[in-house]
Amino acid sequence: MREFFIANIGKTLDSETLREVAGTSEWARRVRELRNEEGMNIVTHNDRSDLKMGEYILLDLKIKPAFERDISKETRALVLDRNGFTCQMCGAAAGEPHPYDQGRKTRLHIGHIIDKSMGGTDDPSNLRAICSVCNEGASNLTLNRPQAIKLVAQIRRAPTTDQLDVMKWVVQKFPKLAEKMLKELDKE
Ligand SMILES: [Zn+2]
């Protein structure tokens, strides 16, 4: 099965073909093993809206980091439950159509809050739920665009140093407008 996927890298394989290759009705479990235990980059209709149910593609020979495969069922359940089964980046809920790609069901992964390369650990306190779209870095920031009213409320409650940082950023972004507004304020 593994060799067959590797020989057909990038090609869409359907369930009938895979059943034949595996020679067993257990072929679907074998695909899951290749994917979840061996970390092969096999995608399904849950990952890609252009795939039908029962279609699989091995995208490349990249192996998913052992971390996600090693994580215990208990830790996984704990993190997902704590995060309300929603992606902590875009808010998509597990099993529902993804807001960025309606044809795709949201599948949640466990990711690090502080990346391991930055010294983050595998402790549950450093883990969060991330959907496959965000995990691939494909999520669009505009999905998260905060509402102005909430944003202003947050700035109001923020410490002065943070407020000054925001001001500095806004003034840098709109220098001419900032100058004009200052002059108008002077007149008042
Ligand atoms: Zn997401």
Side-chain angles (χ1 to χ4, degrees):
M1 197 78 147
R2 185 194 299 111
E3 282 69 35
F4 186 75
F5 266 108
I6 292 171
N8 289 284
I9 197 163
K11 283 186 206 154
T12 304
L13 304 175
D14 61 25
S15 47
E16 252 170 69
T17 311
L18 291 172
R19 184 182 294 121
E20 248 170 63
V21 170
T24 155
S25 55
E26 292 282 273
W27 64 275
R29 190 175 56 83
R30 184 71 189 122
V31 173
R32 275 200 301 279
E33 277 173 10
L34 289 174
R35 184 189 162 112
N36 300 335
E37 286 163 34
E38 300 191 23
M40 286 176 85
N41 198 9
I42 298 170
V43 292
T44 71
H45 70 286
N46 281 329
D47 305 298
R48 292 245 308 241
S49 53
D50 57 328
L51 291 180
K52 291 191 205 89
M53 209 148 152
E55 290 185 334
Y56 302 82
I57 304 178
L58 173 63
L59 289 183
D60 50 41
L61 292 179
K62 270 187 258 163
I63 295 294
K64 269 184 263 166
F67 154 72
E68 241 209 285
R69 289 176 274 141
D70 289 347
I71 189 165
S72 74
K73 272 187 187 149
E74 290 75 22
T75 302
R76 202 183 142 75
L78 175 90
V79 173
L80 290 177
D81 188 57
R82 191 179 62 202
N83 289 160
F85 292 87
T86 52
C87 171
Q88 297 303 291
M89 281 180 85
C90 72
E96 286 178 12
H98 196 277
Y100 181 62
D101 184 348
Q102 292 285 320
R104 184 166 162 175
K105 254 195 209 163
T106 301
R107 188 202 293 266
L108 294 178
H109 303 263
I110 305 293
H112 292 96
I113 296 169
I114 298 170
D115 199 77
K116 287 189 93 168
S117 64
M118 305 292 283
T121 69
D122 289 345
D123 189 79
S125 64
N126 189 43
L127 301 176
R128 62 177 176 174
I130 290 289
C131 75
S132 35
V133 174
C134 290
N135 205 29
E136 288 157 20
S139 95
N140 190 332
L141 271 178
T142 56
L143 273 181
N144 272 331
R145 188 178 290 163
Q147 289 172 330
I149 192 162
K150 282 188 192 160
L151 196 56
V152 172
Q154 279 192 315
I155 296 170
R156 280 207 183 115
R157 291 201 311 260
T160 310
T161 50
D162 287 357
Q163 291 174 335
L164 290 174
D165 277 346
V166 172
M167 185 171 84
K168 218 160 122 189
W169 184 85
V170 175
V171 168
Q172 270 169 0
K173 171 129 189 178
F174 304 103
K176 283 191 185 140
L177 198 58
E179 212 176 319
K180 202 176 136 201
M181 285 170 98
L182 271 178
K183 275 183 196 151
E184 274 164 20
L185 281 175
D186 266 351
K187 279 183 218 153
E188 280 169 15

